[in-house]
């Protein structure tokens, strides 16, 4: 910049100098068009002492929760500097899955310490401890509507249904194999489970029995998520495929309608999760190739393959209101990233 002297009208020295701003060349490229309220297009979140195994945005999109092998649950602000403003302690082993309850006021987490726990998001206090499983709890999921129900799946071969208002579990679904992923149907009248037998089972809560089996995966089901409209179920598997299943009544016998490929599972056989965008037009999942991969649902075309992590990507989640994703990794970090509008 060039300093230009001007006549001083006062004794204030600072008034004697003016800064002449250089003219902008209209031919120069403009700045990158921003599409979200993030402070920067990419924000890296550091603080966990071990692999970050799961993450989830609250329903309002203002807070990101993360769970780690370091046994702690962190809450991060999504705006500004994305500071970590709360740490919840209680689990005695790796925290492997977490979800916000629909009201956004509390969370549930699953852990290798054989428990599922409920947390108050305002105070950070533990509000419920569910300790009936006999082995690692691999997955948990709250109901989208109705009573505050939570389902959990464990290496003990059972899935348990919990009412957050009741101390003990209210229903148990016994399987012959370890359960690695669970989800509620949109109407909360069915529970989906997946395990090391490679089969997705649909449990009828009223009859307490398997109403349907979805076969197609050739290795362990590591994660599952129901679409925003409730019509489809997305499942990730160690066979390196991501599948979408048509869960509507009277659908054809072969309910697998989409198969997405490119992501990887390695020898570690980690429970890599998956997610839908809020409008259901995109899907994503964790991958051991260290990249965040996002597909267009309709065409199965890869829209993004995003580098940045130095370890396996455990989970990728979409922001509920903005074109933003969050990813958690075994490199001990999370990354918030902005997508094109």
């Amino acid at each position: 910049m060039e300093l230009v002297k001007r006549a001083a009208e006062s004794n204030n020295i600072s008034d004697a100098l003016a800064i002449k701003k250089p003219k902008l060349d209209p031919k120069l490229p403009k700045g990158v068009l921003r599409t979200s309220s993030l402070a920067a297009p990419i924000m890296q979140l550091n603080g966990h002492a071990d692999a970050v195994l799961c993450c989830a945005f609250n329903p309002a999109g203002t807070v990101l929760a993360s769970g780690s092998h370091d046994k702690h649950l962190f809450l991060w602000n999504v705006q500004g500097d994305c500071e970590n403003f709360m740490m919840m302690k209680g689990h005695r082993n790796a925290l492997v899955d977490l979800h916000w309850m629909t009201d956004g006021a509390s969370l549930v987490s699953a852990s290798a310490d054989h428990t599922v726990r409920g947390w108050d998001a305002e105070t950070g206090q533990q509000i419920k401890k569910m300790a009936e499983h006999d082995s690692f709890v691999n997955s948990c999921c709250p109901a989208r509507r109705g009573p505050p129900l939570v389902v959990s799946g464990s290496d003990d071969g059972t899935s348990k249904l919990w009412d957050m208002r009741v101390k003990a579990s209210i229903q148990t679904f016994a399987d012959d194999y370890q359960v690695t992923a669970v989800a509620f149907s949109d109407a909360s009248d069915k529970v989906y489970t997946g395990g090391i037998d490679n089969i997705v089972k649909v449990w009828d809560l009223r009859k307490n029995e398997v109403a349907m089996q979805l076969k197609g995966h050739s290795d362990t089901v590591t994660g599952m998520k129901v679409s925003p409209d409730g019509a489809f179920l997305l499942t990730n598997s160690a066979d390196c495929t991501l599948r979408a299943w048509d869960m509507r009544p009277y659908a054809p016998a072969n309910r697998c309608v989409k198969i997405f490929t490119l992501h990887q599972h390695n020898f570690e056989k980690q429970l890599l999760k998956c997610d839908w965008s809020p409008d259901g037009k995109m899907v994503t999942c964790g991958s051991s190739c260290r990249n965040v991969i996002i597909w267009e649902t309709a065409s199965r075309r890869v829209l993004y393959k995003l580098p940045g992590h130095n370890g396996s990507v455990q989970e990728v989640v979409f922001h509920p209101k903005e074109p933003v994703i969050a990813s958690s990794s075994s490199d001990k970090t999370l990354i918030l990233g902005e997508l094109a509008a």
Side-chain angles (χ1 to χ4, degrees), residues 182-230:
V182 295
F184 262 106
S185 67
D186 187 62
S188 302
D189 59 345
K190 296 182 181 66
V191 163
Y192 307 131
T193 66
I196 66 168
D197 61 350
N198 317 336
I199 300 172
V200 177
K201 297 180 178 71
V202 182
W203 298 82
D204 189 314
L205 297 187
R206 297 183 185 90
K207 299 179 181 178
N208 199 19
E209 64 184 20
V210 177
M212 188 191 315
Q213 294 189 358
L214 307 177
K215 298 181 179 180
H217 284 300
S218 58
D219 207 337
T220 301
V221 178
T222 63
M224 59 174 60
K225 188 70 176 285
V226 174
S227 64
D229 62 3

Short mmCIF file of all heavy atoms in Angstrom, two decimals, residues 182-230:
data_model
loop_
_atom_site.label_atom_id
_atom_site.label_comp_id
_atom_site.label_asym_id
_atom_site.label_seq_id
_atom_site.Cartn_x
_atom_site.Cartn_y
_atom_site.Cartn_z
N VAL A 182 -27.96 -51.18 14.80
CA VAL A 182 -29.40 -51.17 15.04
C VAL A 182 -29.99 -49.85 14.57
O VAL A 182 -29.29 -48.83 14.46
CB VAL A 182 -29.74 -51.36 16.54
CG1 VAL A 182 -29.32 -52.74 17.03
CG2 VAL A 182 -29.10 -50.28 17.40
N ALA A 183 -31.30 -49.86 14.29
CA ALA A 183 -32.02 -48.65 13.90
C ALA A 183 -33.51 -48.86 14.13
O ALA A 183 -34.00 -50.00 14.14
CB ALA A 183 -31.75 -48.28 12.44
N PHE A 184 -34.24 -47.75 14.30
CA PHE A 184 -35.69 -47.78 14.40
C PHE A 184 -36.30 -47.50 13.04
O PHE A 184 -35.76 -46.71 12.25
CB PHE A 184 -36.18 -46.70 15.37
CG PHE A 184 -36.47 -47.19 16.76
CD1 PHE A 184 -35.61 -46.89 17.80
CD2 PHE A 184 -37.61 -47.93 17.02
CE1 PHE A 184 -35.88 -47.32 19.08
CE2 PHE A 184 -37.89 -48.38 18.30
CZ PHE A 184 -37.03 -48.07 19.33
N SER A 185 -37.45 -48.11 12.76
CA SER A 185 -38.21 -47.74 11.58
C SER A 185 -38.77 -46.34 11.79
O SER A 185 -38.82 -45.83 12.93
CB SER A 185 -39.35 -48.72 11.33
OG SER A 185 -40.32 -48.63 12.37
N ASP A 186 -39.22 -45.70 10.72
CA ASP A 186 -39.70 -44.32 10.82
C ASP A 186 -40.91 -44.23 11.75
O ASP A 186 -41.06 -43.26 12.50
CB ASP A 186 -40.07 -43.81 9.42
CG ASP A 186 -40.43 -42.34 9.42
OD1 ASP A 186 -39.56 -41.53 9.78
OD2 ASP A 186 -41.59 -42.00 9.10
N ALA A 187 -41.78 -45.24 11.72
CA ALA A 187 -42.98 -45.23 12.56
C ALA A 187 -42.71 -45.73 13.96
O ALA A 187 -43.61 -45.75 14.81
CB ALA A 187 -44.07 -46.08 11.91
N SER A 188 -41.49 -46.16 14.23
CA SER A 188 -41.07 -46.67 15.54
C SER A 188 -41.83 -47.92 15.96
O SER A 188 -41.94 -48.22 17.15
CB SER A 188 -41.22 -45.58 16.62
OG SER A 188 -40.47 -44.44 16.28
N ASP A 189 -42.36 -48.66 14.98
CA ASP A 189 -43.05 -49.91 15.30
C ASP A 189 -42.21 -51.13 14.96
O ASP A 189 -42.60 -52.26 15.23
CB ASP A 189 -44.39 -49.98 14.57
CG ASP A 189 -44.23 -49.91 13.06
OD1 ASP A 189 -43.14 -49.51 12.58
OD2 ASP A 189 -45.19 -50.24 12.34
N LYS A 190 -41.05 -50.89 14.36
CA LYS A 190 -40.13 -51.99 14.01
C LYS A 190 -38.71 -51.58 14.37
O LYS A 190 -38.37 -50.39 14.42
CB LYS A 190 -40.21 -52.33 12.53
CG LYS A 190 -41.56 -52.88 12.07
CD LYS A 190 -41.53 -53.22 10.60
CE LYS A 190 -42.88 -53.76 10.12
NZ LYS A 190 -43.92 -52.71 10.18
N VAL A 191 -37.88 -52.59 14.59
CA VAL A 191 -36.46 -52.37 14.86
C VAL A 191 -35.66 -53.15 13.82
O VAL A 191 -35.98 -54.29 13.50
CB VAL A 191 -36.08 -52.84 16.28
CG1 VAL A 191 -34.58 -53.00 16.43
CG2 VAL A 191 -36.60 -51.86 17.32
N TYR A 192 -34.64 -52.51 13.26
CA TYR A 192 -33.74 -53.16 12.30
C TYR A 192 -32.44 -53.50 13.01
O TYR A 192 -31.88 -52.67 13.74
CB TYR A 192 -33.44 -52.23 11.11
CG TYR A 192 -34.66 -51.67 10.43
CD1 TYR A 192 -34.77 -50.31 10.15
CD2 TYR A 192 -35.71 -52.50 10.04
CE1 TYR A 192 -35.88 -49.80 9.50
CE2 TYR A 192 -36.83 -51.99 9.40
CZ TYR A 192 -36.91 -50.64 9.14
OH TYR A 192 -38.03 -50.13 8.50
N THR A 193 -31.95 -54.70 12.79
CA THR A 193 -30.66 -55.10 13.37
C THR A 193 -29.79 -55.76 12.30
O THR A 193 -30.30 -56.41 11.39
CB THR A 193 -30.83 -56.08 14.54
OG1 THR A 193 -31.37 -57.32 14.06
CG2 THR A 193 -31.75 -55.52 15.61
N GLY A 194 -28.49 -55.58 12.43
CA GLY A 194 -27.53 -56.22 11.54
C GLY A 194 -26.38 -56.75 12.36
O GLY A 194 -26.07 -56.20 13.44
N GLY A 195 -25.74 -57.82 11.88
CA GLY A 195 -24.66 -58.41 12.66
C GLY A 195 -23.65 -59.14 11.83
O GLY A 195 -23.55 -58.93 10.61
N ILE A 196 -22.91 -60.04 12.48
CA ILE A 196 -21.83 -60.73 11.79
C ILE A 196 -22.33 -61.86 10.90
O ILE A 196 -21.55 -62.50 10.20
CB ILE A 196 -20.80 -61.28 12.81
CG1 ILE A 196 -21.42 -62.37 13.69
CG2 ILE A 196 -20.23 -60.15 13.66
CD1 ILE A 196 -20.38 -63.12 14.50
N ASP A 197 -23.66 -62.10 10.92
CA ASP A 197 -24.21 -63.10 9.99
C ASP A 197 -24.57 -62.48 8.64
O ASP A 197 -25.13 -63.16 7.77
CB ASP A 197 -25.44 -63.79 10.60
CG ASP A 197 -26.56 -62.81 10.92
OD1 ASP A 197 -26.32 -61.59 10.84
OD2 ASP A 197 -27.67 -63.27 11.25
N ASN A 198 -24.28 -61.18 8.48
CA ASN A 198 -24.43 -60.45 7.21
C ASN A 198 -25.88 -60.17 6.84
O ASN A 198 -26.16 -59.69 5.73
CB ASN A 198 -23.77 -61.19 6.03
CG ASN A 198 -22.41 -61.75 6.38
OD1 ASN A 198 -21.74 -61.27 7.29
ND2 ASN A 198 -21.99 -62.78 5.65
N ILE A 199 -26.82 -60.48 7.71
CA ILE A 199 -28.25 -60.34 7.40
C ILE A 199 -28.85 -59.18 8.20
O ILE A 199 -28.55 -59.01 9.39
CB ILE A 199 -29.01 -61.64 7.74
CG1 ILE A 199 -28.45 -62.81 6.93
CG2 ILE A 199 -30.50 -61.49 7.48
CD1 ILE A 199 -29.01 -64.17 7.34
N VAL A 200 -29.68 -58.39 7.53
CA VAL A 200 -30.45 -57.34 8.21
C VAL A 200 -31.79 -57.93 8.60
O VAL A 200 -32.53 -58.44 7.75
CB VAL A 200 -30.64 -56.11 7.30
CG1 VAL A 200 -31.50 -55.07 8.01
CG2 VAL A 200 -29.29 -55.52 6.91
N LYS A 201 -32.12 -57.88 9.87
CA LYS A 201 -33.39 -58.44 10.37
C LYS A 201 -34.34 -57.32 10.75
O LYS A 201 -33.93 -56.31 11.34
CB LYS A 201 -33.14 -59.35 11.57
CG LYS A 201 -32.27 -60.57 11.25
CD LYS A 201 -32.06 -61.44 12.48
CE LYS A 201 -31.24 -62.69 12.14
NZ LYS A 201 -29.84 -62.38 11.85
N VAL A 202 -35.61 -57.51 10.42
CA VAL A 202 -36.67 -56.55 10.77
C VAL A 202 -37.51 -57.19 11.87
O VAL A 202 -38.16 -58.21 11.65
CB VAL A 202 -37.54 -56.22 9.54
CG1 VAL A 202 -38.60 -55.19 9.93
CG2 VAL A 202 -36.68 -55.70 8.39
N TRP A 203 -37.49 -56.58 13.05
CA TRP A 203 -38.21 -57.12 14.21
C TRP A 203 -39.51 -56.36 14.41
O TRP A 203 -39.52 -55.12 14.44
CB TRP A 203 -37.37 -56.99 15.48
CG TRP A 203 -36.08 -57.76 15.44
CD1 TRP A 203 -34.90 -57.38 14.86
CD2 TRP A 203 -35.84 -59.05 16.02
NE1 TRP A 203 -33.94 -58.35 15.05
CE2 TRP A 203 -34.48 -59.39 15.75
CE3 TRP A 203 -36.61 -59.96 16.75
CZ2 TRP A 203 -33.90 -60.58 16.17
CZ3 TRP A 203 -36.03 -61.15 17.18
CH2 TRP A 203 -34.69 -61.44 16.89
N ASP A 204 -40.61 -57.09 14.55
CA ASP A 204 -41.91 -56.51 14.86
C ASP A 204 -42.02 -56.36 16.37
O ASP A 204 -41.96 -57.34 17.11
CB ASP A 204 -43.03 -57.42 14.33
CG ASP A 204 -44.39 -56.77 14.42
OD1 ASP A 204 -44.70 -56.21 15.49
OD2 ASP A 204 -45.17 -56.84 13.44
N LEU A 205 -42.18 -55.11 16.84
CA LEU A 205 -42.19 -54.87 18.28
C LEU A 205 -43.42 -55.49 18.95
O LEU A 205 -43.36 -55.90 20.11
CB LEU A 205 -42.16 -53.37 18.57
CG LEU A 205 -40.91 -52.60 18.12
CD1 LEU A 205 -40.94 -51.18 18.63
CD2 LEU A 205 -39.65 -53.29 18.60
N ARG A 206 -44.52 -55.56 18.23
CA ARG A 206 -45.74 -56.10 18.83
C ARG A 206 -45.65 -57.62 19.01
O ARG A 206 -46.05 -58.18 20.02
CB ARG A 206 -46.95 -55.75 17.97
CG ARG A 206 -47.21 -54.25 17.86
CD ARG A 206 -48.48 -53.97 17.06
NE ARG A 206 -48.68 -52.54 16.84
CZ ARG A 206 -48.20 -51.87 15.81
NH1 ARG A 206 -47.49 -52.51 14.89
NH2 ARG A 206 -48.42 -50.58 15.68
N LYS A 207 -45.09 -58.29 18.01
CA LYS A 207 -45.01 -59.75 18.05
C LYS A 207 -43.70 -60.26 18.64
O LYS A 207 -43.55 -61.46 18.91
CB LYS A 207 -45.19 -60.32 16.64
CG LYS A 207 -46.53 -59.98 16.00
CD LYS A 207 -46.62 -60.55 14.59
CE LYS A 207 -47.95 -60.20 13.94
NZ LYS A 207 -48.02 -60.71 12.54
N ASN A 208 -42.73 -59.35 18.79
CA ASN A 208 -41.41 -59.71 19.32
C ASN A 208 -40.76 -60.84 18.51
O ASN A 208 -40.21 -61.79 19.07
CB ASN A 208 -41.52 -60.12 20.79
CG ASN A 208 -40.16 -60.05 21.50
OD1 ASN A 208 -39.24 -59.40 21.01
ND2 ASN A 208 -40.04 -60.74 22.61
N GLU A 209 -40.85 -60.73 17.19
CA GLU A 209 -40.26 -61.74 16.32
C GLU A 209 -39.76 -61.09 15.03
O GLU A 209 -40.12 -59.96 14.70
CB GLU A 209 -41.29 -62.83 15.99
CG GLU A 209 -42.49 -62.32 15.20
CD GLU A 209 -43.53 -63.41 14.97
OE1 GLU A 209 -43.51 -64.40 15.72
OE2 GLU A 209 -44.36 -63.25 14.05
N VAL A 210 -38.94 -61.86 14.29
CA VAL A 210 -38.42 -61.35 13.02
C VAL A 210 -39.51 -61.40 11.97
O VAL A 210 -40.06 -62.47 11.65
CB VAL A 210 -37.20 -62.18 12.57
CG1 VAL A 210 -36.71 -61.70 11.20
CG2 VAL A 210 -36.07 -62.08 13.59
N ALA A 211 -39.84 -60.23 11.41
CA ALA A 211 -40.89 -60.15 10.40
C ALA A 211 -40.32 -60.28 8.99
O ALA A 211 -41.03 -60.65 8.06
CB ALA A 211 -41.65 -58.84 10.54
N MET A 212 -39.03 -59.96 8.83
CA MET A 212 -38.41 -59.98 7.50
C MET A 212 -36.90 -60.06 7.63
O MET A 212 -36.33 -59.58 8.62
CB MET A 212 -38.80 -58.69 6.75
CG MET A 212 -38.40 -58.65 5.29
SD MET A 212 -38.61 -56.98 4.61
CE MET A 212 -40.22 -56.51 5.22
N GLN A 213 -36.26 -60.67 6.65
CA GLN A 213 -34.80 -60.70 6.59
C GLN A 213 -34.34 -60.14 5.24
O GLN A 213 -34.91 -60.48 4.20
CB GLN A 213 -34.27 -62.13 6.76
CG GLN A 213 -34.52 -62.72 8.13
CD GLN A 213 -33.79 -64.04 8.33
OE1 GLN A 213 -33.12 -64.55 7.43
NE2 GLN A 213 -33.90 -64.60 9.52
N LEU A 214 -33.33 -59.28 5.28
CA LEU A 214 -32.78 -58.67 4.07
C LEU A 214 -31.40 -59.27 3.83
O LEU A 214 -30.46 -59.02 4.60
CB LEU A 214 -32.69 -57.15 4.22
CG LEU A 214 -33.99 -56.43 4.63
CD1 LEU A 214 -33.74 -54.95 4.82
CD2 LEU A 214 -35.07 -56.66 3.58
N LYS A 215 -31.28 -60.04 2.76
CA LYS A 215 -30.02 -60.72 2.45
C LYS A 215 -29.39 -60.12 1.20
O LYS A 215 -30.08 -59.77 0.26
CB LYS A 215 -30.26 -62.21 2.26
CG LYS A 215 -30.80 -62.91 3.51
CD LYS A 215 -31.00 -64.40 3.27
CE LYS A 215 -31.52 -65.09 4.53
NZ LYS A 215 -31.73 -66.55 4.32
N GLY A 216 -28.08 -60.00 1.23
CA GLY A 216 -27.35 -59.41 0.11
C GLY A 216 -25.91 -59.10 0.47
O GLY A 216 -25.01 -59.28 -0.34
N HIS A 217 -25.70 -58.64 1.70
CA HIS A 217 -24.33 -58.38 2.14
C HIS A 217 -23.58 -59.71 2.33
O HIS A 217 -24.18 -60.72 2.69
CB HIS A 217 -24.33 -57.61 3.46
CG HIS A 217 -24.65 -56.15 3.32
ND1 HIS A 217 -23.89 -55.30 2.54
CD2 HIS A 217 -25.64 -55.40 3.86
CE1 HIS A 217 -24.40 -54.08 2.61
NE2 HIS A 217 -25.46 -54.11 3.40
N SER A 218 -22.28 -59.66 2.08
CA SER A 218 -21.46 -60.87 2.22
C SER A 218 -20.46 -60.76 3.37
O SER A 218 -19.57 -61.59 3.49
CB SER A 218 -20.72 -61.15 0.91
OG SER A 218 -19.91 -60.05 0.54
N ASP A 219 -20.62 -59.72 4.19
CA ASP A 219 -19.77 -59.57 5.37
C ASP A 219 -20.54 -58.76 6.41
O ASP A 219 -21.66 -58.31 6.16
CB ASP A 219 -18.45 -58.89 5.00
CG ASP A 219 -17.30 -59.27 5.94
OD1 ASP A 219 -17.60 -59.67 7.09
OD2 ASP A 219 -16.13 -59.16 5.54
N THR A 220 -19.94 -58.56 7.55
CA THR A 220 -20.60 -57.93 8.70
C THR A 220 -21.25 -56.59 8.35
O THR A 220 -20.63 -55.75 7.66
CB THR A 220 -19.58 -57.71 9.82
OG1 THR A 220 -19.02 -58.97 10.19
CG2 THR A 220 -20.21 -57.07 11.04
N VAL A 221 -22.46 -56.37 8.82
CA VAL A 221 -23.14 -55.07 8.69
C VAL A 221 -22.58 -54.16 9.78
O VAL A 221 -22.70 -54.45 10.97
CB VAL A 221 -24.67 -55.22 8.84
CG1 VAL A 221 -25.34 -53.86 8.74
CG2 VAL A 221 -25.21 -56.18 7.78
N THR A 222 -21.97 -53.05 9.38
CA THR A 222 -21.26 -52.20 10.34
C THR A 222 -22.03 -50.95 10.74
O THR A 222 -21.71 -50.32 11.74
CB THR A 222 -19.89 -51.78 9.77
OG1 THR A 222 -20.11 -50.99 8.59
CG2 THR A 222 -19.05 -52.99 9.42
N GLY A 223 -23.02 -50.58 9.95
CA GLY A 223 -23.79 -49.38 10.28
C GLY A 223 -25.08 -49.35 9.49
O GLY A 223 -25.18 -49.96 8.43
N MET A 224 -26.10 -48.63 10.01
CA MET A 224 -27.36 -48.50 9.28
C MET A 224 -28.05 -47.21 9.66
O MET A 224 -27.86 -46.68 10.76
CB MET A 224 -28.27 -49.70 9.52
CG MET A 224 -28.65 -49.98 10.94
SD MET A 224 -29.88 -51.31 11.10
CE MET A 224 -29.04 -52.71 10.37
N LYS A 225 -28.85 -46.69 8.72
CA LYS A 225 -29.56 -45.43 8.95
C LYS A 225 -30.81 -45.40 8.09
O LYS A 225 -30.77 -45.71 6.90
CB LYS A 225 -28.65 -44.24 8.58
CG LYS A 225 -29.19 -42.87 8.95
CD LYS A 225 -29.18 -42.65 10.45
CE LYS A 225 -29.63 -41.25 10.83
NZ LYS A 225 -28.59 -40.23 10.57
N VAL A 226 -31.94 -45.02 8.68
CA VAL A 226 -33.21 -44.90 7.95
C VAL A 226 -33.24 -43.55 7.24
O VAL A 226 -32.79 -42.54 7.78
CB VAL A 226 -34.40 -45.05 8.93
CG1 VAL A 226 -35.72 -44.78 8.21
CG2 VAL A 226 -34.40 -46.44 9.54
N SER A 227 -33.77 -43.53 6.02
CA SER A 227 -33.83 -42.30 5.23
C SER A 227 -34.74 -41.28 5.90
O SER A 227 -35.61 -41.63 6.71
CB SER A 227 -34.32 -42.61 3.82
OG SER A 227 -35.65 -43.10 3.86
N PRO A 228 -34.58 -39.99 5.57
CA PRO A 228 -35.41 -38.96 6.20
C PRO A 228 -36.91 -39.18 6.02
O PRO A 228 -37.70 -38.85 6.91
CB PRO A 228 -34.95 -37.67 5.50
CG PRO A 228 -33.55 -37.95 5.07
CD PRO A 228 -33.53 -39.40 4.72
N ASP A 229 -37.31 -39.73 4.88
CA ASP A 229 -38.74 -39.98 4.66
C ASP A 229 -39.20 -41.33 5.18
O ASP A 229 -40.39 -41.67 5.11
CB ASP A 229 -39.09 -39.86 3.17
CG ASP A 229 -38.37 -40.88 2.31
OD1 ASP A 229 -37.65 -41.74 2.86
OD2 ASP A 229 -38.53 -40.83 1.07
N GLY A 230 -38.26 -42.11 5.72
CA GLY A 230 -38.60 -43.39 6.31
C GLY A 230 -38.81 -44.53 5.34
O GLY A 230 -39.10 -45.66 5.75
#
